[in-house]
Amino acid sequence: MWQRLQTWIQKRLTLIKGVFFLSVLLLVIREIGRIGHEISGEQVWSALGALSPTTIVLLAVVGFIAVLPMMVYDFTIVEFLPGHFSTGYILRSGWVTNTFTNLAGMGGLLGASLRANFYAASATKKQVVYAISKIALFLLAGLSLACWVGLIMMFGFNVGTVYQGYWFWLLGGGLYFPGLFIFTRVNDSEFFADLTWSRELRLILGSSLEWGSCALFFLLIGWALQLQLDLAAVFPMFVVASVAGVISMIPGGLGSFDVFMIFGLGLLGVSRSDAAGWLLLYRLFYYILPFGVGVGLFVHDAGHRLNQFLAGLPVAIFRRSALWFVTTFMYFSGVMMLLYATIPDVVLANKLYMQLVPYMFYFLSQVTNLVMAFLLIGLARGIGSRVSRAFWPTLVVLVLAIGYTLWRENFPVGLAILLGLVLACLLLAKPELTRQSFHYSWGGLLIDGSIYVGTFVLYTVLGLYAIQGHHRHFATLLQAWLPASTQVWLNGLGGLLIALVVLLTINRFLSVTHSDWLTAPFDAERVRRVIQNFGGNEVSHLAFLRDKQTYFYQADGQDQLLFLFRQKADKLLVMGEPIGNQDYLLPALQDFMRAADTAGLRPVFYEISEELTLRLHEMGFDFIKVGEEGHVDLTDFTLAGKPRRGERALVNKFKREDYHFEILQPPLSDAQYAELRAISTSWLGDETEKSFSMGFFDRDYLNEAPIAVMTDKDGKMVAFANMMPTGDHKMTSIDLMRSSQDAPSGIMDGLFVYLFLTCQEQGYTWFNLGMAPLANVGVSEFSFIEERVAHLIYEYGSNFYSFQGLRAYKEKYVFDWQPKYLAYRRRESLIFTMLQLMQVINRPGAAVKGKLEPKWLSHLLVDEVNWQNRD
């Protein structure tokens, strides 16, 4: 049966713990309610009113000190247990246990249950129960010794002789200690084997200090009340009342102890009202206030356990809520102060504004209001962005603003409470401020910039109208918008200029970065090592453009993966998928995103696979399909047959005209580079090259891989394409594909065919033809709204970019289409993200004339029509 009972308890242990915590909380609530009924507010204020503030503080401090001796029990309990507990943990758990048992009693059951809960983490239930049982035997040892002291005082020194009739109470209580001492020393059972002399003496001393400090504190209250009586004579009666309280089994001896003491004090001439006040102060400073601290510690401990059980989610939500509250309040106050400083007559006539006025800061100077308004708005950005450097400036600003506001006479009490709550929330939210740097998002910059620019323009225009006398023509309603005088307007204008300096200073202060990886120079050898060791992908060769930064993930003592990215505003635009050892993909993603978050940046992944998109979606990213990537199956490619008659005829034409295809190996000679440069310049014309997701003409970049060229009969280069090795020797691709103006028709198509055949001979199985933007995006009626808009652009945007033409051309060769996606942080603006991506690809300020389609595509489409007509 015992084994079955243990099994039943083990299966329901979590439920039992939950019921236990709930029971304790209900007990706490019940005790607080019971005490509230026993003690009226009038009694408390009357008793406290008779004491000076210094005496009240003294009693509060000594009351807490009087509880401390009970900590001896808990420091002794842990000696019987195998686990290690810190001093702070023992003090916290001991304070909770002893203040709860002081007030609730329950015959030691509550204390045993609480200690079992606190100390069971590193010991078995049997060990905990044994340790608690040993301690429980000595809880009343000090009271028993106090009984002998009381008997000696009454019959040996004639102190408190009026209580000699209670001798049997003292004798009965006094017999407990000798009996306990003899029992523990004579008994040789295993239970008392570890109860050494030193531990037993320590427990006896602890119990004696507990009851002695309790009695001395009770007498101290009598001294504070300045009652005319012999305080030493009260001690025997205090011991008698305590014995009666223990025997009654009533929690805290409430009622039984009080009745005995009121009657006993009456024998010394103390009135019932004074005795009641005495007991009231004793209950308040020895029981209720320490118990209140114990409740706080218990709730903190229970909350900590609940937080651990829920993986830290409750605390995270609580802190984030506090952070949101502080940020919102600062923005609200900043905007309210800004309105008051610029158009006071307008806002003071607004009923809604006047209802909100009691919940904002107060400053007398117009300039001070303006500067403080933008100071709050600027710091609110930093706090809202969780930047650690924003904490101390915000704390100082809030303290100064609160102090200045509350310095006024007749400030609203509600405002004082609110401002105190704001400060508390800021302190609570401090652990959430983990980012090292601040980067303005376009959305945040648009809002803050609109606030400042709008305020400055409106204030300037209104001031100029007022100075020039145009206000005479304004309607009465609009007169309130104008400045009161030229001096007021000039003060406000100066304040706005100072506020601009403040905003820029705050932004510069918060934007200081300590992330060296964001500005580290490009390390080509390190990139090559990763590709050589683990292979690359379709974008790995773009690293050698040197227009992107690299982030390396290290494990097992070497670089495993790298990310290619470029920063734009608060975004880290990642080009393609991580390059390297894919076995470390998940930890590398987490490491990269932690580093980005610490730097105050948000990653955006461009042109990534479906697999990585779904993985990022689990990590809090939204996504949109941006097109499809075409792969040519080189194992099946051939010029034979009717489908390839156009390409076959094209190749035969170039052979007849003595055009040759060859592969140039790096490094390029000066002459070769000059020829390629001339072709690129001729091809570009007045257009501007792009970057990031595609290459641009650069000698270092071209020297990283072979270059396919077409030469005429004189050996002059007329077209070229640089190879993009992926590092796995299975797939290859090209980047730049350019021809001179005097190149023959069809040269690009011919170059493609020769590339397919050459790569086929070299053992490659796939040729990557690159992206077909927006292909098959948003074709379903259930697609995302953004994707359906993209589909409309694909269908009807041929005037700007030949989306369908590019797809149609590549479809001649492509065997397999792989979807590609853009992944961005949830709740980020997709519009801003796409605009930032376009800026990075097109380079800021670049102007492209005509259509945005690649020039080689125009040539290919024309050539395709010509050769099909010829056949």
Side-chain angles (χ1 to χ4, degrees), residues 503-754:
L503 276 177
L504 294 176
T505 303
I506 291 173
N507 183 59
R508 186 174 182 84
F509 171 74
L510 297 179
S511 300
V512 175
T513 180
H514 302 285
S515 303
D516 295 335
W517 57 274
L518 286 172
T519 55
F522 180 73
D523 190 339
E525 289 304 318
R526 198 173 175 187
V527 173
R528 289 192 188 98
R529 246 189 335 265
V530 172
I531 296 175
Q532 290 169 1
N533 292 338
F534 307 108
N537 56 28
E538 64 272 15
V539 302
S540 56
H541 194 68
L542 292 176
F544 299 103
L545 283 169
R546 293 170 169 80
D547 66 334
K548 293 173 280 290
Q549 277 78 42
T550 51
Y551 180 88
F552 292 89
Y553 173 73
Q554 293 185 321
D556 299 330
Q558 65 174 333
D559 294 327
Q560 300 288 346
L561 280 160
L562 68 91
F563 297 77
L564 300 178
F565 68 90
R566 192 189 293 182
Q567 182 183 344
K568 185 65 177 178
D570 66 328
K571 304 292 194 308
L572 280 186
L573 303 175
V574 181
M575 182 61 225
E577 307 208 4
I579 303 161
N581 190 351
Q582 299 303 310
D583 293 339
Y584 288 89
L585 179 60
L586 182 58
L589 285 171
Q590 292 174 333
D591 184 71
F592 176 70
M593 284 191 278
R594 287 193 196 99
D597 185 72
T598 300
L601 297 165
R602 296 174 174 83
V604 175
F605 293 82
Y606 178 56
E607 288 191 14
I608 59 175
S609 66
E610 188 175 280
E611 181 181 357
L612 180 57
T613 300
L614 293 178
R615 190 184 290 269
L616 289 171
H617 184 64
E618 295 175 353
M619 302 172 77
F621 282 74
D622 274 338
F623 60 91
I624 181 174
K625 187 177 179 182
V626 292
E628 294 181 336
E629 188 177 75
H631 297 167
V632 180
D633 187 357
L634 296 180
T635 58
D636 293 335
F637 183 79
T638 178
L639 291 179
K642 185 177 180 181
R644 296 287 181 236
R645 66 181 184 274
E647 289 80 7
R648 187 168 59 251
L650 185 63
V651 171
N652 291 332
K653 170 184 177 290
F654 288 138
K655 287 181 179 179
R656 289 193 303 269
E657 295 178 359
D658 206 17
Y659 280 88
H660 297 282
F661 172 85
E662 63 177 298
I663 301 292
L664 302 179
Q665 297 296 331
L668 297 171
S669 67
D670 291 340
Q672 290 171 332
Y673 174 74
E675 283 194 79
L676 295 177
R677 184 71 186 175
I679 294 172
S680 178
T681 302
S682 174
W683 182 87
L684 280 171
D686 57 356
E687 294 183 1
T688 305
E689 294 195 276
K690 294 177 172 57
S691 62
F692 188 67
S693 62
M694 57 190 76
F696 50 86
F697 194 88
D698 177 77
R699 187 166 188 171
D700 291 332
Y701 177 55
L702 294 177
N703 275 326
E704 289 293 337
I707 300 176
V709 298
M710 291 288 287
T711 60
D712 61 13
K713 60 182 179 180
D714 299 323
K716 178 185 177 182
M717 297 182 196
V718 294
F720 75 90
N722 68 309
M723 305 297 292
M724 289 184 66
T726 59
D728 60 0
H729 304 290
K730 294 180 181 178
M731 179 180 288
T732 188
S733 182
I734 59 169
D735 188 10
L736 302 179
M737 191 171 183
R738 300 179 177 182
S739 63
S740 60
Q741 293 291 342
D742 56 355
S745 177
I747 194 67
M748 291 294 193
D749 223 337
L751 189 57
F752 261 130
V753 172
Y754 278 117

Side-chain angles (χ1 to χ4, degrees), residues 841-856:
I841 292 174
N842 292 308
R843 291 189 174 182
V848 181
K849 297 182 179 180
K851 295 182 181 181
L852 297 177
E853 64 187 20
K855 183 179 284 188
W856 66 264

Side-chain angles (χ1 to χ4, degrees), residues 2 119 272 452 646 703 818:
W2 174 247
Y119 302 123
R272 291 288 178 91
Y452 183 85
N703 275 326
Q818 293 293 329

Side-chain angles (χ1 to χ4, degrees), residues 112 425 499 625 861:
C425 286
K625 187 177 179 182
L861 295 178

